[in-house]
Amino acid sequence: MEPSVQGIAAIAISHPLDPLTSDEIAAACNLVRASAASAENCRFPIVRLEEPGKAELAAHGGGRKLPRQAFVVSLDIASGESVEHVVDLSAQAVVARKVVPNREAPYGQPPVMLEEFFRCEAAVKADAGWRKAMHRRGLTDKDIELVQVDPFSSGFFDLPFERGARIVRAVSYYREHPQDNGYAHPIEGVVAVVDLIAGKVIDLTDDDPVIPIPRKKRNYGAHEVTAPRTGIKPLNIEQPQGPSFTVDGWKVEWQKWSFRVGFTPREGLVLHRLSYQDGERTRPIVHRASVTEMVVPYADPTANHFWKSAFDAGEYGLGMLANALELGCDCLGNIHYFDVPAADSKGEPFVMKNAICMHEEDYGILWKHYEFRNGLFEVRRSRRLVISFFATVGNYDYGFYWYLYQDGTIQLECKLTGIIQTAAIAPGATYPFGGMVDDNLGGPTHQHFFNSRLHMDIDGGGNTVTEHEFVPRPWGRDNPHGNVFDTTSRVLARERDAARLANGETGRYWKISNPNETNSVGAAPGYKLVVTPSPVMLAQEGSFVRSRGGFATKHVWVTAYDPAEKYASGDYPNVHGGGDGLPRYIAQNRSIENTDIVVWHSFGHTHVCKPEDFPVMPVEYAGFTLKPVGFFAANAGFDIPAERNAKSVLSADGTSDTTGGNCCH
């Protein structure tokens, strides 16, 4: 069945949360460019909708017309000055302007733009010192033309050339031809620091002794696989009557769920106003959900790696690096794609085709029981709605999959794949800072951290977070057999109380509830956050990366809602000195009890590289779940009808063949 594709021309603005259209992007950038010191040097690292808040949206629901606004960050590529603008598209005017104070401590720059990737490579290859370093490693001028130069967000170590500067660090990889996998051939001990405003190398590391470049080919293109696997039969997923969801512009309804799709250059996919139809009531759960930041710190202290700690959202933009998803590969089934309008670095609008994929999929058994006493047998299959996008950030590829389930469960699953960073290892040497993946080739140990921002709205009122743990009750008159254990509960009343770590030993979880409402058993309705007690950031206290990525030092944070606090790492983590984001937000120690709150969850994966991760890494998974706890009066999936459209029959070869009929398991 052909996928349905939502084109920009087909979408009229029907709601204040709709992403900017191409025309709106062009208009906003034109207004900013007209006010710039130099239109020729004016670039646009960030262009997004300036979203209205809960109060404004409530007024809009009452009939009030809201101004349509864009938030635009401009960058003068000659002077380096960055300016934030709020553009009123209705009035066709810039209504607010603020210079980003990136020349003052703790500094910070707008994200690296795609055109700067190419500017960096040109500057590196034109540098005489870098070319000499390549010659020292046995490369000819002809070889150098094919060298892959990776511009990498620089980190920050309070060096003079870092303060207030717009820089990247660049590492290099040998390639025999343009499609050769350069990560199999890292050029160790050579790091160039490039000033993107000056367009030149301002610092160069050229280590001794020279480590030979690994030359073994490790390519992964389909044409490189000489003996592809056989025996894979076709797997067809069909919905002859179409999908169960409906789409109206950016609004989606599916199996009692309703929400609006959004997209920003930094976060990528955003889910707005996530609600569930419970009888006659449409019940809000999450006002806004997104992934606001990532950081990937490396555990190798050598020249090529110690500074690597990419903040993939804030330093590049997950949305800006979104893939055009392919039917049958990225997405399987009856697919609905959303095209997303965006701005390039010069402020010209373009369409990100198939940036968001949505489909529903079978998810096994939702509930089942066989009552042997009376022969009653009931089973229901689970179905979930999948809303996803993929972003490629240099060598790594990340998939962000939001799942909605028929029983009211919400899940985020992040998929990590792509190619690992690599290190050249001298012949006969061992690699103490990671794992060997091939001859003379190591993969540095590193961590991946994500942070999801959940602006909660349980039943549309003030919300409170409580922390719960399971603890054994001591022997005593109330526990004579030693089998009793209790569930503890405490209210997280202020922000400093609510910077918390997961604990697998006690099963620690957090419940977000509305204390102003009463559920069917006399308690406050809510949802619980179920997390994985994975390692937090392991870099030492006092290190720059720990200061810059402070959000990754705790699993859970809760803040009072402030529209200025949008991102876990702060607004501009690129070349930032540290201390921004969640640690700064909670220093205010505001009350978070029965008020408008944001729950932030940091989670991730600690990666010790192994041969199975190369030349391309199989998917690793990280994520969390929000589950209803006293939100419904009963199993919300109880009303799902029994399947009567499938049965399993035995084929001639003795295998099962589902063709239609009674319910199957």
Side-chain angles (χ1 to χ4, degrees), residues 16 55-67:
E56 291 86 356
L57 290 169
H60 174 263
R64 177 181 157 195
K65 186 175 181 181
L66 301 182

Side-chain angles (χ1 to χ4, degrees), residues 52-116:
K54 282 184 182 178
E56 291 86 356
L57 290 169
H60 174 263
R64 177 181 157 195
K65 186 175 181 181
L66 301 182
R68 184 80 170 157
Q69 295 185 328
F71 177 82
V72 179
V73 175
S74 65
L75 170 69
D76 189 309
I77 59 171
S79 70
E81 183 180 68
S82 304
V83 183
E84 296 178 347
H85 308 77
V86 177
V87 178
D88 189 321
L89 293 162
S90 306
Q92 288 289 291
V94 176
V95 295
R97 185 180 187 276
K98 175 188 172 185
V99 176
V100 178
N102 51 22
R103 292 190 173 94
E104 305 166 10
Y107 314 111
Q109 291 281 335
V112 181
M113 299 177 293
L114 189 59
E115 72 172 61
E116 291 176 313

Side-chain angles (χ1 to χ4, degrees), residues 153-473:
S153 53
S154 73
F156 185 89
F157 300 89
D158 204 23
L159 299 171
F161 60 74
E162 294 173 332
R163 299 170 193 153
R166 187 166 179 82
I167 60 172
V168 292
R169 283 177 162 89
V171 289
S172 307
Y173 303 87
Y174 169 74
R175 295 180 301 172
E176 283 192 7
H177 56 82
Q179 288 195 340
D180 194 11
N181 179 10
Y183 298 106
H185 318 298
I187 301 173
E188 204 69 22
V190 182
V191 182
V193 179
V194 178
D195 185 322
L196 293 171
I197 301 301
K200 65 180 183 180
V201 173
I202 58 172
D203 187 76
L204 181 70
T205 298
D206 180 6
D207 270 356
D208 278 314
V210 168
I211 297 174
I213 300 170
R215 295 297 183 109
K216 183 177 178 180
K217 290 183 180 298
R218 292 301 305 274
N219 294 324
Y220 55 89
H223 62 285
E224 304 273 5
V225 181
T226 56
R229 183 179 302 199
T230 60
I232 302 176
K233 302 295 177 63
L235 176 63
N236 298 318
I237 298 174
E238 297 181 351
Q239 291 180 279
Q241 298 178 34
S244 304
F245 54 75
T246 61
V247 180
D248 180 10
W250 298 97
K251 183 177 181 181
V252 178
E253 293 183 342
W254 175 82
Q255 289 291 291
K256 303 188 178 183
W257 286 102
S258 65
F259 60 94
R260 305 195 72 88
V261 175
F263 202 88
T264 74
R266 177 167 180 162
E267 304 156 289
L269 177 62
V270 179
L271 300 185
H272 295 285
R273 310 191 89 183
L274 199 54
S275 301
Y276 194 95
Q277 189 70 31
D278 185 16
E280 299 299 315
R281 299 171 62 196
T282 300
R283 303 180 65 186
I285 299 170
V286 183
H287 180 70
R288 190 182 191 276
S290 68
V291 173
T292 75
E293 193 51 277
M294 291 181 55
V295 64
V296 187
Y298 281 75
D300 183 330
T302 60
N304 273 51
H305 309 284
F306 77 90
W307 47 269
K308 290 179 180 175
S309 55
F311 290 72
D312 290 335
E315 293 182 330
Y316 300 101
L318 295 173
M320 285 305 298
L321 298 175
N323 296 173
L325 301 175
E326 296 289 336
L327 181 65
C329 297
D330 296 290
C331 306
L332 192 63
N334 194 311
I335 306 301
H336 184 96
Y337 289 115
F338 292 87
D339 295 339
V340 174
D344 67 15
S345 60
K346 294 185 177 181
E348 297 298 327
F350 69 99
V351 176
M352 304 175 75
K353 297 290 293 181
N354 297 4
I356 302 169
C357 168
M358 185 172 69
H359 67 285
E360 52 187 336
E361 63 186 22
D362 181 85
Y363 195 64
I365 302 300
L366 176 61
W367 61 265
K368 173 182 176 176
H369 184 61
Y370 169 56
E371 181 52 62
F372 70 90
R373 295 170 183 84
N374 58 23
L376 184 63
F377 180 92
E378 294 291 342
V379 60
R380 302 293 186 272
R381 292 197 68 79
S382 176
R383 193 177 295 189
R384 66 183 182 184
L385 185 68
V386 185
I387 315 100
S388 66
F389 84 105
F390 245 96
T392 298
V393 188
N395 54 296
Y396 265 115
D397 299 76
Y398 298 101
F400 300 88
Y401 285 65
W402 289 95
Y403 301 128
L404 303 180
Y405 294 85
Q406 292 161 305
D407 66 351
T409 298
I410 304 166
Q411 181 185 1
L412 173 64
E413 182 178 74
C414 297
K415 304 185 180 188
L416 298 75
T417 182
I419 305 177
I420 60 171
Q421 284 284 309
T422 51
I425 309 300
T430 58
Y431 184 40
F433 307 115
M436 295 298 293
V437 299
D438 207 333
D439 300 337
N440 306 319
L441 191 66
T445 296
H446 57 283
Q447 295 184 282
H448 299 259
F449 292 107
F450 305 85
N451 183 274
S452 183
R453 180 181 183 274
L454 304 167
H455 187 181
M456 301 303 297
D457 198 25
I458 302 290
D459 276 334
N463 286 184
T464 294
V465 178
T466 49
E467 182 176 280
H468 305 266
E469 301 187 74
F470 305 113
V471 295
R473 183 179 297 189

